[in-house]
Amino acid sequence: MFNKKGTVFFLLLLSASFCFAQDKFFTKTGKVNFFSKASMEDIEARNKTVTAVLDSKTGAVQFAIQMKGFEFEKQLMQQHFNENYVESDKYPRAEFKGVITNNNEINYGHEGSYPTKVTGKMTLHGVTRKIETTGSVKVDGENLKIESVFNIQLTDYKIKIPAVVKEKVSNNIRITVDTKLEKLKA
């Protein structure tokens, strides 16, 4: 049974957690695509199970991607991707942790689309590298839409392309982020 001090402490803790959650936006159904344009073949894959969190107060943003969640048009491509290139059993996730460096220019209380500058670190295939990119945050009521397009080099992440398929897989991969986040409720 609570005494007066315990009740006051519990109410303060409850109100603090409610205020804290109001600054957070979250999804487990984010979308990330990648595209490889090579001389003999284009390869595209989609992942619709990306977890993302954005703290509107600080601009901190995080993405977690299960590598086996990428879907390809051809099943054989998906198998080669998971077994031979990103080694999904050994490196099951890719992660991005960063910050929107111009977060103070985004009015999360006013609907509209705001350009963003993002800096952070992406971990893929066991390698962590700094990423700087641009994108946008669209405020739509209590929801956000985050969009960004940037390129990575597979060799930067120690992903090897066998000589036999060099003409089919580009080292330069375009990553597209198109994610809707909802306000995290307390």
Side-chain angles (χ1 to χ4, degrees):
M1 181 177 239
F2 282 119
N3 61 24
K4 279 188 177 183
K5 287 181 183 178
T7 303
V8 170
F9 178 74
F10 176 75
L11 290 173
L12 285 172
L13 186 62
L14 184 63
S15 64
S17 67
F18 178 72
C19 292
F20 180 70
Q22 288 181 333
D23 298 328
K24 307 271 187 193
F25 294 83
F26 177 79
T27 189
K28 285 186 177 180
T29 58
K31 296 177 185 153
V32 170
N33 299 343
F34 77 77
F35 181 76
S36 163
K37 181 165 187 66
S39 60
M40 290 184 66
E41 189 169 22
D42 294 345
I43 299 172
E44 188 169 7
R46 294 174 175 81
N47 191 323
K48 300 175 189 171
T49 59
V50 177
T51 302
V53 179
L54 184 143
D55 183 334
S56 62
K57 194 171 201 166
T58 65
V61 62
Q62 280 188 260
F63 286 84
I65 302 169
Q66 293 299 323
M67 299 309 290
K68 287 188 177 180
F70 280 102
E71 298 174 354
F72 293 73
E73 185 178 316
K74 298 177 184 174
Q75 185 63 32
L76 188 57
M77 284 183 185
Q78 190 162 327
Q79 182 180 344
H80 286 300
F81 172 80
N82 285 303
E83 291 175 6
N84 303 329
Y85 302 115
V86 297
E87 302 174 277
S88 296
D89 287 335
K90 188 174 182 181
Y91 307 105
R93 293 172 33 138
E95 294 180 334
F96 175 81
K97 294 179 183 179
V99 65
I100 299 172
T101 57
N102 64 326
N103 192 58
N104 60 336
E105 298 172 14
I106 301 171
N107 184 347
Y108 291 96
H110 187 266
E111 291 194 5
S113 186
Y114 302 89
T116 59
K117 297 174 189 168
V118 180
T119 301
K121 292 185 177 183
M122 187 166 90
T123 302
L124 172 66
H125 198 245
V127 178
T128 301
R129 305 238 344 148
K130 186 175 180 179
I131 298 276
E132 290 184 22
T133 188
T134 59
S136 67
V137 170
K138 181 179 181 185
V139 178
D140 184 16
E142 290 194 349
N143 300 315
L144 301 179
K145 183 174 182 178
I146 298 174
E147 296 177 326
S148 182
V149 178
F150 59 96
N151 292 332
I152 65 167
Q153 303 295 312
L154 294 180
T155 52
D156 287 345
Y157 293 93
K158 297 184 182 175
I159 297 173
K160 296 179 178 130
I161 302 171
V164 72
V165 293
K166 280 264 193 227
E167 300 291 319
K168 293 183 177 185
V169 180
S170 174
N171 184 50
N172 185 42
I173 304 295
R174 184 180 71 216
I175 309 289
T176 303
V177 177
D178 182 5
T179 302
K180 293 180 183 176
L181 295 93
E182 296 179 357
K183 189 172 257 190
L184 190 60
K185 307 289 183 192

